Amino acid sequence: MKPTIAQQINTLLYYLQTKQTPPFEILFWENLQKIDFDYSANSLQQLSRFFAAMAKRHIQLPQLLAHQSGQALIVALAAYIADYLAKTTGQAIAWYDYDRMSAQLARQNKYPAQSQLPANFYASLTARIGHKVYCQPLKLLPDLLQGKDVLPQFIAQMTQTLYQQSQVNLLQSPEAVCQGYLAKVKTGKLQDATIAFSTYLAAVNFDHSRDSLVQIDEALSAIQQAFGFTQADYLDFLQDASHQAFCYLLGFYIGVTSSRLANAPVRWVSFAQMYDSLGEAFAECLEHSFVLLFEDCYRTPMLVVTNRLFGLASSFPTTAAEFADILQRQNAGHLAVYPYQDAVSATADLPAHWTSAMQAAGALVASVLSRLSQGQPILPSVYQAHSSDNKADELTAFNPSNIKLLSPSDTDLDTVTATATDTDTLIDSLYQTLHQNPQLAPIIVGCFDSYTNLPMGRTEGVVIEIWVYESPRLQLQLVLPYQSANDWHSLKIYPLVSHQNGAQTALTSEQITALTTHFYQALLSAPSTQNTAVKTLWQDAYVNQLDSWVLPPKDQRIQQQNAQLVTHFDFALLPILDNQPNVTMAAFDYSSIDWRGFDLAKHILQASHHEQGYLQVYVSDNLIKDELYRQVEATEDLYRYGKVVWGVVIKSDAELTKPMSEKERDKPFTNHRVSCADILFDPSGQARVEDLQAKASQLMDAIGTVNQPSNATPDVAFYQLHCQDDTSRAFNLAYPASIAATNYRITTSWIWRRHLPNGMLSNSVVPIIIHTHAYQNKAEQGEIMVLPSQLWDKAYYHYWLSLAYEQFGQDYDLLPYIHWQQKYAQDSTDAATQKRLWPKFKPNRANNRAPSREQSSSIGLMSDKLENPMSATAKQQATIQQAAIQQTTGQKLADVQLTLQPSIESTPQAAQTSQTSLTSKAMPPSSLSNELTQQLMNDKLRLQTQLSTKDTAKDKKLLVIALGGMLVLIILVILVKIMR
């Protein structure tokens, strides 16, 4: 049997790490044994020196590929680079050859023409790291073999991209958000360096034990002592996204670990869900973003973290261990788990009807799992047993054809598909049948798909109802939890659980264990038509413990298979094609970036002094004379009130597709060229990028196929004339309706090249800022601008650079130059240049900055010691908010049983104060050119001088007259005395 790709790669990596001699030849093996392939930074330095040594000997790819041992060498080193990225970021890795990668792209992309993988050497090996990032490490080899030290930059950029892709989307369901954060510690160690204070958490063993909570408390104490946080630092602390992620990570972990230790079924709910239940009494703050909901109360584990660091509520637990102990005392659950045990028979004596009921339940669930294995939905179903015609006390044998879907038409299960709106009605019908038993059946068994709360959180589950109506009666509810396949694992089926306590069922634990044994036996001995599928599914998916991160047997077998060593290397490498460029990576997944949740104004208002300088654009003389100057005038409004959408460049100046010169890069304010592009966009921001690209292509095709404008439709002819005139500008131009009926717009935009990652258009897809009401088709709201690249999604930023690298062999990243200029004050400008920079920013006074809505809602957690300048009225209202918050969050969990009741009072005055604090003064209008504005200011000053009541010249004259009069008076007095 031919070894798999993963087996060959893992074999190469195994021998690199262990330094054992492989059963096949690897070129330069003695030299490789001197390198420590231990996934440390030092190993990369040694690897770079190894490539540099080959470069000095002028060893190039064709020479290496000429021998099988050379091919093994380059595949081993390329695989180590990709595996290094996976290991250091805590991501899973999967390997693809050319055929598998092509098939993967075809499945993921709806446009096959855009997803074709060039058949050359660089596409021979692809690594998928994590869930979305694809890496082709063979592309590095040409530069490495030329002695270029590109490995550190590649590792840094890819690491940042991987961390960016692993960021958790807070707009997902609360359970998905929790799952995303706990995935960062699923190996027992934190695997995300972008989380704040990750070095302090390095010693924590995240194994969901009480000891791990104690270790978290020690880490929080060390952080508090090192930084000396006080309540006055709370709001500034939350401004950093990495700090918020730190609180979320520890909050989710503390909540899940505490519920697991208490064996308490829980689920996570969002602030919006709590607000819907409690209304304005539930204040919005980080600690309330995600709440742990129990059967009769809720808990806020995020508050444990912030309370430990800032001392927000003296009566709330300040340690994770104390929080867990309180949950153990007050919320300990009675969830019972009944795992499957192979070759174990029931030992307790059970009534015959009970045994028959459990066997019927097992057979019923087998039919459900059979449908699940075929990818079909689980429908509410019921089975009613009947007495035998010969003996009244015996039941007829189980018949799968008697499984029915409860509905008014009593339609057979195999021919009906229920919609989501019908599910609740069907479940109600099932319970109505259970309670009424209209056919007087001795046994009724039903099941339906639902959700169940477990100590690890909420998950999917098949609810099973077993009712026996003859004495002794039985009413038993069991749940078979499962998790559908996701990015981390394939389908998982958990053991049976029961949420009923002994008083509800009147059954002992031994009796329920015996009943579940009969259930499992019937489940795995279903009729032959289902037996094979159910057994296969059970062997692939069943795990014997309630753990979100334990892998199902199917995934474990794949891991074990991939880890098997092979005895020969026959990995197929495609040839190097000199007449083709380097391989093009898979098309970027633009749907992974949702600009609708991007708070542009927040980023602008929180920009530092250097960031404000980067956000400004330079207005040259040529631009002032151009109609595009209106875009400069609109820059301030776009920053403050605009929104970000995807745009596609239809056409652009040729200079924008070329790298910037060193002069343009180092002295950007000496460039007087006006570079512009026509950009197609959807004002609503809802269009798919692929559709925008298609419409742009159709428009250019329509223009190209018409020789004269007179032969085209009026709207196409108009745009054709526009394209033929280099000085023509379009603002909010409707997309030609003769091509397609859309709400898309076309606008000519001047592009300030420093706002692009590398100063050029490496891709036609750019994020742009448009007016919020651009859809109203008003020409005065048609200005747009490219979103400054430092605000871009990091993954797309690096994708943009990678496209330039493929085309030019360099990415021309401007960020290092901009940072260098800022660091050494090379970005400072003279007064003349400052006048030409737009927009104008007010001095950044961080200490007096008004809090955002999120900050304002968190003020209630602060005490009177917050040293912020405020009026007496504002202080009084803040005190009211503080008292109201502490009424809820300040209560000791050990003393007060929190319930879903209004817990936080808010006053209209407080709300009004909060709203007032968010209202900023309007900036002066920016509709005039710099020269005209300066002229008006000079005229105004001169006018004020002319109208002033304090005339300096007049005062001087009066003073002279007064002095002269006094002198004459003195002379007269002297003369009078002489005459006497």
Side-chain angles (χ1 to χ4, degrees), residues 532-551:
T532 302
V534 173
K535 280 189 174 181
T536 301
L537 180 65
W538 192 261
Q539 293 171 358
D540 288 345
Y542 177 75
V543 295
N544 220 27
Q545 54 183 318
L546 299 179
D547 191 328
S548 299
W549 301 112
V550 62
L551 289 178

Side-chain angles (χ1 to χ4, degrees), residues 854-865:
E854 293 81 358
Q855 295 171 322
S856 301
S857 62
S858 302
I859 291 178
L861 292 174
M862 309 303 293
S863 69
D864 295 335
K865 299 179 181 179

Side-chain angles (χ1 to χ4, degrees), residues 129 139 819 945:
I129 307 175
K139 292 175 56 180
H819 285 174
T945 303

Side-chain angles (χ1 to χ4, degrees), residues 651 678 700 702-712 716-729:
K651 72 178 189 68
D678 282 2
M700 294 309 294
I703 294 175
T705 55
V706 179
N707 295 327
Q708 297 296 330
S710 59
N711 299 331
V716 173
F718 179 84
Y719 188 72
Q720 187 178 25
L721 289 173
H722 160 75
C723 292
Q724 294 173 355
D725 185 357
D726 293 337
T727 62
S728 175
R729 310 300 184 214

